[in-house]
Amino acid sequence: EGVERTKPRKVFKPDVDIIEEKEETVLTADLPGVDEKSLDITLEKNVLTIRGRVEAEILEGLRLAYGEYEVGDYERTFSLSDEVDKDKIQATIRNGVLKLVLPKAAEVKTRKIAIAAA
């Protein structure tokens, strides 16, 4: 939504799971057909953008009689808070599943305060 395209390609919004853990937040996104060469992740002004490109498989010598599977690109954006340590974000992709690890900044991590007897 709100993205202007110069090519007539379908753009899908990938489904994601976001899990908050003690030290980090983990985002998992489904991007079927996308690998590390066709994936672009950018961070600009606290906006994390995921873009994946998928090319249609060309079947030589065959003619498609009927098709329901649509091919297109993937795009999704997220606004990150200052609680994320933006310099330590890690991304991996395997079998079309993207995993982003967003470590929490040291200032927001819960820490134990030692208590001394008076």
Side-chain angles (χ1 to χ4, degrees):
E1 291 181 7
V3 177
E4 297 294 329
R5 293 264 173 209
T6 57
K7 295 181 181 179
R9 288 189 52 88
K10 219 170 187 32
V11 178
F12 298 102
K13 182 177 170 183
D15 292 330
V16 300
D17 290 331
I18 300 174
I19 299 169
E20 186 171 1
E21 298 177 358
K22 184 177 180 180
E23 300 288 322
E24 62 201 15
T25 300
V26 178
L27 183 145
T28 306
D30 289 329
L31 306 167
V34 175
D35 60 17
E36 67 277 0
K37 296 173 192 148
S38 59
L39 179 64
D40 186 36
I41 303 171
T42 58
L43 178 62
E44 183 177 358
K45 297 181 181 178
N46 289 349
V47 176
L48 180 77
T49 303
I50 300 167
R51 288 187 185 94
R53 293 169 305 286
V54 178
E55 296 301 323
E57 184 178 349
I58 299 171
L59 305 171
E60 291 187 34
L62 300 177
R63 184 178 64 84
L64 183 65
Y66 177 76
E68 290 183 348
Y69 179 78
E70 293 184 86
V71 175
D73 296 336
Y74 296 97
E75 188 167 324
R76 185 105 185 234
T77 59
F78 299 90
S79 296
L80 300 184
S81 71
D82 291 332
E83 294 180 1
V84 175
D85 187 342
K86 293 161 188 69
D87 294 325
K88 294 184 180 176
I89 296 173
Q90 298 174 349
T92 56
I93 190 162
R94 183 171 180 225
N95 297 329
V97 178
L98 171 65
K99 180 179 178 183
L100 278 171
V101 178
L102 310 168
K104 292 184 181 179
E107 306 86 55
V108 298
K109 291 181 183 173
T110 304
R111 56 191 173 113
K112 184 83 170 154
I113 306 295
I115 303 170

